[in-house]
Amino acid sequence: MNKRKVPKATMQRYPLYLKALKKLQSLGIDRIMSNQLGSFIDVEPTTIRRDFSFIGTLGKQGYGYDIETLIETFEGHLGGTYNEKIIIVGAGNLGRALMNYNRWNNVVGEVACAFDIDENKVGVINDIPIYPLSQLSKNIPVGCRIAILTVSHDAQETVDKLIEAGIVGFISFTHDHIRVPKDVFIKYVDVISSIQELVFQVNNI
Amino acid sequence: MNKRKVPKATMQRYPLYLKALKKLQSLGIDRIMSNQLGSFIDVEPTTIRRDFSFIGTLGKQGYGYDIETLIETFEGHLGGTYNEKIIIVGAGNLGRALMNYNRWNNVVGEVACAFDIDENKVGVINDIPIYPLSQLSKNIPVGCRIAILTVSHDAQETVDKLIEAGIVGFISFTHDHIRVPKDVFIKYVDVISSIQELVFQVNNI
DNA sequence: CTAAAGTTGCTAATTAATTCACATGGTATA
DNA sequence: TATACCATGTGAATTAATTAGCAACTTTAG
């Protein structure tokens, strides 16, 4: 097992591995070689082996990898303890669609509650309570570290408030550029940027 | 101007640049140095200059960059001709939320229409017609290259059909792993994978 | 039990991406 | 118009990531 810090590129592949392994497991496969996994997800086998080595000695020489073991290990590292309390900030169309999305459980945790600046949005959707943003500090769940941002205005201002309330990781659906301190992470899940990148690629083959 | 092919890492930053530049323009700024832009988006100035150099000689020595020129140039490369016809496949909660999202125009093009396998979903949302997936080939817009995938089942099968119909770029909101040929691009906009990556980062500071 | 076959995990080599450092040529001021 | 300044753009150096190659160990077949 290699003890260096995990490269960024490797970190980005971990969710992909977990996703693929679960798919394979659902197909009834319980053992796999880096080789096969590689051709399944289009990643070089040697890259896979190296990526895995940062987490531990997961495979057996001459045998391959046990899918169940891999899944358990990855889930442990990627939030599979299922106790992450996530909040959604912004209860517009997108925020509500996410609340109705029923695949949060058994993945990383659960959406504990949501917030919106508009007091008229207060209520309950799919058993998830929506509170006014003004009551953030009162209603934010204990130990909550991750927020999903689906606001349409004042994203920066909202993020600043959330950081103050203890959030250290953001998933942002907004197309706004947001600045966060070094010890806070933000991941953009941004359709527009994705389409732009896609157009650039498609135009530059 | 450097004529090598654009590195992948660079390509991923282009949408970020455009986003930041538009923000700066909206603040009334019309000229910027790589230095300032760098501290604004937390990218090394020299990386910015190199990234820009792949597109052309955009700056003036001793002066900096003209924001308007930059925006025009980037828009040209990232789909700013606004004539991309995009389709949405899957008219569930998420698909409908995207149809109601009103920021497609003046960014990359427009959502021309949507498709769903469920004939009961056929109708019109926000002026966007929804057709049954069985009538894909009949209703797909001429020149359409990009599809946004928000289906909840049979993603792979659907993608295969769409590729046959001429789609070469996908934005997938599904958490399923999808395989595409080498000349087709797929970008995942996947909350679950993003949260997993975030959890891993937050746990490994 | 022994030997052949096969796959991991690691070191070394290669390739990609970032950062340094500075010549170049425009800008600003008087 | 002359002069001091300043930021770009790019070759060279560095650092990060990927890929090749192989020793070590497991499994499996005979």
Side-chain angles (χ1 to χ4, degrees):
Chain A
M1 174 177 174
N2 200 326
K3 273 291 189 184
R4 280 191 317 136
K5 92 179 212 318
V6 184
K8 217 159 39 165
T10 294
M11 244 189 288
Q12 286 174 4
R13 280 188 294 264
Y14 283 155
L16 171 63
Y17 293 140
L18 181 52
K19 198 155 80 170
L21 290 165
K22 285 194 165 177
K23 176 76 178 179
L24 291 165
Q25 191 181 50
S26 79
L27 296 172
I29 303 169
D30 57 2
R31 168 186 166 183
I32 199 163
M33 275 70 88
S34 59
N35 207 297
Q36 303 172 296
L37 181 59
S39 73
F40 186 60
I41 58 176
D42 211 40
V43 173
E44 286 295 319
T46 187
T47 301
I48 293 177
R49 296 204 298 275
R50 178 167 297 279
D51 284 351
F52 284 10
S53 78
F54 289 103
I55 290 193
T57 301
L58 307 176
K60 288 187 218 146
Q61 290 178 331
Y63 172 91
Y65 299 88
D66 200 62
I67 290 191
E68 197 172 330
T69 312
L70 282 184
I71 290 178
E72 277 167 17
T73 308
F74 275 110
E75 283 189 336
H77 282 87
L78 301 175
T81 47
Y82 312 140
N83 52 13
E84 206 65 48
K85 301 280 180 213
I86 300 165
I87 60 173
I88 291 179
V89 182
N93 282 319
L94 182 58
R96 292 199 304 271
L98 289 173
M99 288 180 232
N100 281 314
Y101 186 68
N102 60 352
R103 303 194 202 170
W104 299 102
N105 299 318
N106 294 16
V107 179
V108 276
E110 55 158 1
V111 174
C113 62
F115 296 91
D116 199 290
I117 202 160
D118 179 359
E119 309 246 338
N120 294 319
K121 295 259 174 63
V122 166
V124 175
I125 289 180
N126 196 21
D127 292 331
I128 300 168
I130 304 168
Y131 303 113
L133 191 58
S134 56
Q135 294 175 26
L136 176 67
S137 55
K138 201 168 89 188
N139 291 300
I140 196 168
V142 177
C144 173
R145 306 185 294 170
I146 290 176
I148 298 177
L149 204 65
T150 56
V151 300
S152 44
H153 303 292
D154 305 315
Q156 182 69 60
E157 199 185 322
T158 308
V159 164
D160 294 344
K161 262 187 220 152
L162 290 163
I163 291 174
E164 237 173 83
I167 300 293
V168 295
F170 291 88
I171 306 289
S172 174
F173 277 87
T174 72
H175 185 57
D176 292 330
H177 175 65
I178 296 167
R179 311 184 69 180
V180 294
K182 288 261 176 294
D183 51 351
V184 172
F185 299 95
I186 184 161
K187 301 229 153 293
Y188 292 95
V189 178
D190 173 351
V191 213
I192 290 181
S193 292
S194 298
I195 297 182
Q196 289 173 335
E197 201 189 325
L198 204 54
V199 171
F200 187 88
Q201 283 188 327
V202 168
N203 285 340
N204 283 268
I205 305 175
Chain B
M1 174 177 177
N2 201 326
K3 271 293 189 184
R4 280 192 315 138
K5 92 181 210 319
V6 184
K8 217 159 39 166
T10 295
M11 244 189 287
Q12 285 174 4
R13 281 188 294 265
Y14 284 154
L16 171 63
Y17 294 140
L18 180 52
K19 196 155 81 170
L21 290 165
K22 284 193 165 177
K23 176 76 178 180
L24 291 164
Q25 191 181 49
S26 80
L27 297 172
I29 303 168
D30 57 2
R31 167 185 167 184
I32 199 164
M33 274 71 87
S34 60
N35 209 299
Q36 305 171 296
L37 180 59
S39 74
F40 186 61
I41 57 176
D42 211 40
V43 173
E44 287 295 319
T46 187
T47 300
I48 293 177
R49 296 204 297 276
R50 184 167 298 277
D51 284 351
F52 284 12
S53 78
F54 289 104
I55 291 194
T57 301
L58 307 176
K60 287 185 220 149
Q61 288 179 333
Y63 172 91
Y65 299 88
D66 200 63
I67 290 191
E68 198 173 328
T69 312
L70 282 184
I71 290 178
E72 277 168 17
T73 308
F74 274 111
E75 283 189 335
H77 282 87
L78 301 175
T81 46
Y82 313 139
N83 53 12
E84 206 66 47
K85 301 279 180 215
I86 300 165
I87 59 174
I88 291 179
V89 181
N93 282 319
L94 182 57
R96 292 200 304 271
L98 289 172
M99 288 181 230
N100 280 314
Y101 187 68
N102 60 353
R103 303 196 203 170
W104 299 103
N105 299 317
N106 293 17
V107 179
V108 276
E110 55 159 0
V111 174
C113 62
F115 296 91
D116 199 289
I117 201 160
D118 178 0
E119 309 246 339
N120 294 319
K121 295 258 174 62
V122 166
V124 175
I125 289 180
N126 195 21
D127 292 330
I128 299 169
I130 305 169
Y131 304 113
L133 191 58
S134 56
Q135 293 173 27
L136 176 67
S137 54
K138 200 168 91 189
N139 292 299
I140 197 167
V142 177
C144 173
R145 306 186 295 170
I146 290 177
I148 298 177
L149 205 66
T150 57
V151 299
S152 45
H153 303 292
D154 306 317
Q156 181 68 60
E157 199 186 321
T158 308
V159 164
D160 293 344
K161 261 186 221 151
L162 290 163
I163 291 174
E164 235 172 85
I167 300 293
V168 295
F170 290 89
I171 306 289
S172 174
F173 278 86
T174 71
H175 185 58
D176 292 329
H177 176 65
I178 296 166
R179 312 185 70 180
V180 294
K182 288 262 176 292
D183 52 351
V184 172
F185 299 95
I186 184 161
K187 301 229 152 292
Y188 292 95
V189 178
D190 174 351
V191 214
I192 290 181
S193 291
S194 299
I195 296 181
Q196 288 173 336
E197 202 189 324
L198 204 53
V199 171
F200 187 88
Q201 283 188 327
V202 167
N203 285 339
N204 284 267
I205 304 175

